[in-house]
Amino acid sequence: MADEALSLVCTDCNAQLQSVKEAQAHGEATGHSNFEESTEAVKRLVCTECSKPCRTIVEQELHTKRTGHTTFEDQTRAAAKAMSTEMEMAKARAVEAGEGTDKKDVELVEPEVDGQALAELEAMGFARNRGVRALHGSGNTGETPKPSLTPEEAKALAAELLAKARRKRELEEKELQRLREQERIRSGKELAAAARLEAELKLKRSMEARRLEKEEERKARERVREMLEEDKRARRVRLGLPPEPTPEELEAERAKAAEKAAQEAAKRLPPPPVIPDADRLRDLLVGMKRGTSDAAAVTLCFQTLLRLCGNAANDPGNAKYRRLNLGNPALAARLLPDARAFLEAAGWAAAEGEGEGVLVLPGAGSPAEVVRLTAAGEQLHSALNNPFFGAL
């Protein structure tokens, strides 16, 4: 079968046809009349869900778009049949002559018609069998029927049909591209939502594990305390004392505990001062994060602020860490517009005799100043490491 004709190809538009009948229909629709035999079979892709055959990948994609069916079976080799162009053309002439093709050995006899009239019809572009049928049906009068289209009109019509088909294919390709882009966006959103859900579940699992760990620690401490109490009662019994302490013993223990607590309180440092601006520091960071869609710029700004606060808190006596020039191009490129308000809330302030963009720390490294800078650093650390910072 490799050397036998399996299809016909229109040399005018490269359309592949699987029979002479299809070639005739193609020629009548487009005005094309040049066909060649081909050993390449017409592609046949059959939908396994509805048995719809498709000849091209474009037809397959359009069928999938309209029905949602995605599984196709390639039956090209099974459906390929060797064709005899001459025999099929003979059958077609017999059908046009009205003799039918039920009998395999039908004798095809062409009706006698006016030869000159037939030649004139062929010169005007009519196929011979159509001209014979027209003259035979008109009684061989020889009158030349006027064709519905001149050759020029037929060519123009064929060009128009080809242009329409080309535009249709372009529109279909654009529609397929649009659908593919929608599917890509939808898949991206689903992946992002799945990632967020996984992060939330991971956080919940971590919190639950921490809660269970604390509960287990509490129970362990309770068991140790009970064991110590039991051991204490056993020692008292061995010493000939009552299992439980007497009121006098309890009072002595309370007095001893109070004295110990007073001694420890005297050793402890005074509590750090209350930082009233902690909430404001967080609100400023949330505002900067929500005020821009550039996540990289937000991260860079927060990292820079954290370095500035950390340097000043860790080395309060270093003058270069206590003075900031916000007009410096390198520093300005790393900070967002609202960063100055955050620095002022963390303790920096404008100083007399300095430029407009210069801020200094006026506290001379006092404990309150260090605590304020530390609080600002904690808020920045939370903003950089907590994925839900500012989301609620």
Side-chain angles (χ1 to χ4, degrees):
M1 183 180 293
D3 296 330
E4 296 180 343
L6 299 179
S7 64
L8 293 175
V9 177
C10 176
T11 58
D12 296 325
C13 65
N14 294 325
Q16 195 174 22
L17 310 161
Q18 62 183 3
S19 66
V20 172
K21 185 176 180 181
E22 284 192 4
Q24 287 179 330
H26 179 76
E28 291 178 0
T30 63
H32 298 168
S33 58
N34 299 314
F35 299 91
E36 291 181 354
E37 292 183 345
S38 173
T39 58
E40 182 180 354
V42 176
K43 187 175 291 293
R44 181 179 177 83
L45 303 173
V46 179
C47 176
T48 59
E49 300 183 48
C50 66
S51 302
K52 171 71 170 64
C54 300
R55 289 192 179 186
T56 64
I57 299 299
V58 174
E59 287 186 17
Q60 177 184 342
E61 292 181 346
L62 287 175
H63 180 70
T64 299
K65 180 184 70 173
R66 294 178 182 134
T67 64
H69 300 168
T70 58
T71 307
F72 294 83
E73 181 181 357
D74 191 346
Q75 298 182 0
T76 303
R77 183 178 296 275
K81 294 182 180 179
M83 60 183 298
S84 175
T85 307
E86 295 181 359
M87 183 178 295
E88 291 192 18
M89 291 181 66
K91 290 180 180 180
R93 294 192 190 101
V95 171
E96 289 185 358
E99 297 184 12
T101 57
D102 293 337
K103 296 181 180 180
K104 295 182 179 180
D105 56 349
V106 61
E107 182 178 0
L108 303 177
V109 180
E110 183 177 275
E112 295 183 0
V113 296
D114 186 0
Q116 182 179 357
L118 180 59
E120 292 178 357
L121 289 176
E122 290 181 344
M124 297 181 66
F126 286 94
R128 177 181 177 82
N129 56 349
R130 295 186 66 186
V132 171
R133 186 172 61 181
L135 292 174
H136 180 71
S138 63
N140 292 327
T141 60
E143 297 179 358
T144 303
K146 295 182 179 180
S148 58
L149 294 175
T150 64
E152 292 76 10
E153 292 175 337
K155 290 182 180 180
L157 179 59
E160 182 181 355
L161 292 174
L162 287 175
K164 288 182 178 180
R166 185 163 50 252
R167 288 194 297 269
K168 182 179 179 181
R169 285 196 300 271
E170 291 175 354
L171 291 175
E172 290 173 350
E173 286 295 331
K174 289 182 180 179
E175 179 66 14
L176 287 174
Q177 291 178 1
R178 186 183 67 82
L179 293 175
R180 292 192 189 104
E181 181 64 16
Q182 287 182 347
E183 179 64 19
R184 184 189 66 78
I185 295 174
R186 184 190 64 80
S187 300
K189 290 182 178 179
E190 289 182 353
L191 290 174
R196 288 194 300 269
L197 179 60
E198 178 63 23
E200 293 175 0
L201 293 176
K202 184 177 180 180
L203 180 61
K204 290 180 179 179
R205 289 193 295 267
S206 177
M207 295 174 63
E208 179 64 15
R210 181 58 181 163
R211 186 190 67 80
L212 294 175
E213 182 181 350
K214 288 183 178 180
E215 181 67 17
E216 187 63 27
E217 290 176 356
R218 186 191 65 78
K219 292 180 179 179
R221 288 195 299 270
E222 184 67 21
R223 289 193 295 269
V224 171
R225 189 187 65 78
E226 292 177 355
M227 292 174 62
L228 292 175
E229 290 293 333
E230 183 65 27
D231 184 62
K232 184 177 179 181
R233 286 192 291 269
R235 287 199 309 271
R236 290 178 63 85
V237 171
R238 286 196 299 270
L239 294 173
L241 299 174
E244 298 296 335
T246 62
E248 293 78 7
E249 292 175 334
L250 292 176
E251 183 63 28
E253 288 182 359
R254 283 194 291 270
K256 186 177 181 180
E259 182 181 358
K260 183 178 180 180
Q263 292 175 355
E264 292 179 352
K267 296 179 182 179
R268 286 198 299 266
L269 294 175
V274 179
I275 305 301
D277 292 332
D279 292 338
R280 172 168 169 73
L281 291 170
R282 185 180 186 281
D283 292 341
L284 288 170
L285 292 178
V286 172
M288 283 189 281
K289 184 174 183 180
R290 294 178 178 177
T292 177
S293 59
D294 190 348
V298 173
T299 300
L300 179 61
C301 177
F302 287 1
Q303 291 173 343
T304 304
L305 292 174
L306 180 59
R307 188 178 299 110
L308 295 175
C309 293
N311 290 339
N314 295 329
D315 192 2
N318 194 330
K320 72 176 183 179
Y321 295 147
R322 306 181 61 79
R323 183 179 183 277
L324 300 177
N325 183 6
L326 301 183
N328 185 300
L331 182 59
R334 302 172 66 89
L335 297 179
L336 295 174
D338 293 337
R340 175 168 182 149
F342 179 85
L343 290 170
E344 291 175 347
W348 272 276
E352 295 182 2
E354 299 285 355
E356 182 179 354
V358 176
L359 299 177
V360 295
L361 285 171
S366 65
E369 179 183 270
V370 174
V371 170
R372 184 181 294 275
L373 291 170
T374 302
E378 291 176 352
Q379 294 296 330
L380 286 164
H381 186 273
S382 176
L384 287 169
N385 295 280
N386 184 1
F388 302 102
F389 183 83
L392 301 177

